[in-house]
Amino acid sequence: MVKVADIERALEPTWCPGCGNHMMWKALKEVIEESGMGFEDYAMVWGIGCHGNGADFYRSQGFHGLHGRALPVATGIALSNPSLKVIVSMGDGDGYGIGGNHFIHSVRRNIDMMAIYHNNQIYGLTTGQASPTSDQFMQTPSTPGGVVEEPVNPVGVAIAQGATFVARGFAGDVDHLKSLYRQALDHHGFSLVDVYQPCVTWNKINTFKWFRDRVYKLEELDGYDPSDRTMAFETSMSTFHELTCAPDECKVPIGVFYREEETFTYQDGLPQLDRPMWKHAEEPRDISEILETY
Ligand SMILES: Cc1ncc(C[n+]2csc(CCOP(=O)(O)OP(=O)(O)O)c2C)c(N)n1
Ligand code: SF4
């Protein structure tokens, strides 16, 4: 069984002091330890960005993919070895921008994997340009006159697209985030955890304080039913925040928006996965005769 200390590499994280990535790192390491998995039980995949630098800070088998392409790589891993739990780490620019198409199709295919989005509403690594989740009117180096368009609402998109597990967390509440990670890891199907992860260097609007003044937990809401897709979608839309809103005007829900217990995954629909490729590889073939010919 993997321990937190086994996951940590000799290399210390290079994220800015106070960055939400540190809290997400802590939460995920602890949940992996608590899950009882061994290194042979899971694989991790990263996109490109500050979040993706996590590839250097978690010891695991896995792959550091191209910008926006973590999900296709993760899909390949999940289908070639269905016994692995695949954990994918992406950024908002990475996963909802350049990788937006993969996001939609991974959701509708219900590929059994856990997808974590480090949503800091900015391009962190490339010094603060607007991302698909930056709030409308936000000024950034790439939008000096303010962002013109509406942001992507990843939770709403996923629910509308038939997702079977959709949650939103906040890096400033590690215990709550851990509970979401645990549920996502246990889910049979595509589990999305969108995490508000303040970038303390480039996003001076959506700060830890900004969120602390606004977040509330869905599980504490009277009558909230995460098995009701319509309720989940309406909640994701009605509370979709805007940069300009005051704490008493807008609230940001965190928690499990939607969960379907009995799900049919992409893997379930592929009978050939009963004879996965990696199992053939377990029986080594003698190729000395072939080598003789060279
Ligand atoms: C195809 C491609 N386009 C652009 C880049 C440059 N690039 C590297 S990281 C990044 C943005 C990262 O932002 P985000 O995904 O939000 O992650 P964060 O750094 O905030 O964690 C960009 C545009 C790239 N590496 N590859
Ligand atoms: S630039 Fe932002 S997202 Fe990147 S490490 Fe620093 S605080 Fe974190």
Side-chain angles (χ1 to χ4, degrees):
M1 281 188 318
V2 178
K3 298 274 174 229
V4 167
D6 304 327
I7 298 170
E8 288 167 358
R9 291 200 146 139
L11 209 57
E12 278 291 308
T14 50
W15 295 309
C16 307
C19 171
N21 283 333
H22 292 282
M23 295 75 171
M24 293 177 68
W25 186 58
K26 174 179 167 58
L28 188 58
K29 281 184 303 184
E30 291 181 6
V31 165
I32 291 174
E33 175 177 302
E34 288 162 20
S35 75
M37 290 194 292
F39 278 128
E40 67 284 5
D41 296 322
Y42 69 99
M44 297 183 74
V45 181
W46 291 268
I48 300 294
C50 292
H51 64 92
N53 293 345
D56 294 331
F57 314 137
Y58 289 86
R59 184 178 287 124
S60 77
Q61 53 178 335
F63 196 88
H64 195 175
L66 294 176
H67 192 42
R69 305 290 170 249
L71 285 176
V73 172
T75 301
I77 294 173
L79 298 190
S80 58
N81 185 349
S83 71
L84 285 175
K85 191 84 209 174
V86 182
I87 303 171
V88 196
S89 163
M90 291 160 282
D92 44 297
D94 178 58
Y96 298 138
I98 189 167
N101 189 38
H102 302 304
F103 164 54
I104 290 169
H105 295 293
S106 302
V107 165
R108 83 181 169 88
R109 288 180 182 134
N110 198 27
I111 301 171
D112 188 15
M113 61 173 62
M114 174 176 172
I116 300 169
Y117 289 82
H118 298 234
N119 187 355
N120 52 24
Q121 302 166 271
I122 205 83
Y123 284 178
L125 191 69
T126 47
T127 66
Q129 301 89 343
S131 90
T133 52
S134 296
D135 281 305
Q136 197 173 26
F137 311 127
M138 185 179 187
Q139 285 181 302
T140 74
S142 64
T143 57
V147 170
V148 176
E149 70 269 47
E150 286 275 344
V152 166
N153 177 355
V155 168
V157 170
I159 295 167
Q161 196 52 63
T164 58
F165 184 97
V166 185
R168 182 196 279 150
F170 169 46
D173 189 339
V174 171
D175 287 341
H176 184 255
L177 187 59
K178 281 178 67 178
S179 85
L180 300 180
Y181 282 172
R182 268 186 228 111
Q183 295 174 70
L185 208 55
D186 286 347
H187 181 69
H188 179 61
F190 189 84
S191 52
L192 164 77
V193 191
D194 178 78
V195 185
Y196 280 126
Q197 169 252 309
C199 167
V200 294
T201 301
W202 300 109
N203 187 341
K204 302 293 186 192
I205 307 286
N206 309 108
T207 60
F208 280 99
K209 179 172 181 344
W210 193 94
F211 283 107
R212 284 214 171 90
D213 286 346
R214 292 166 174 82
V215 290
Y216 72 94
K217 298 186 177 102
L218 281 172
E219 54 268 31
E220 289 169 6
L221 199 64
D222 229 12
Y224 190 78
D225 177 6
S227 69
D228 183 334
R229 190 179 291 277
T230 306
M231 184 182 282
F233 183 70
E234 280 174 357
T235 306
S236 84
M237 293 304 289
S238 64
T239 55
F240 194 44
H241 67 281
E242 286 173 4
L243 174 70
T244 46
C245 67
D248 53 346
E249 283 171 4
C250 84
K251 295 286 173 198
V252 179
I254 55 175
V256 177
F257 277 72
Y258 183 73
R259 180 200 294 113
E260 213 169 285
E261 298 298 344
E262 296 295 318
T263 77
F264 178 74
T265 67
Y266 193 76
Q267 285 93 326
D268 292 334
L270 299 180
Q272 62 269 42
L273 294 187
D274 291 343
R275 293 183 66 249
M277 280 180 281
W278 66 274
K279 280 200 171 165
H280 303 307
E282 274 185 348
E283 295 151 22
R285 284 177 300 160
D286 182 3
I287 57 166
S288 50
E289 208 175 309
I290 300 168
L291 289 177
E292 288 295 317
T293 61
Y294 294 99

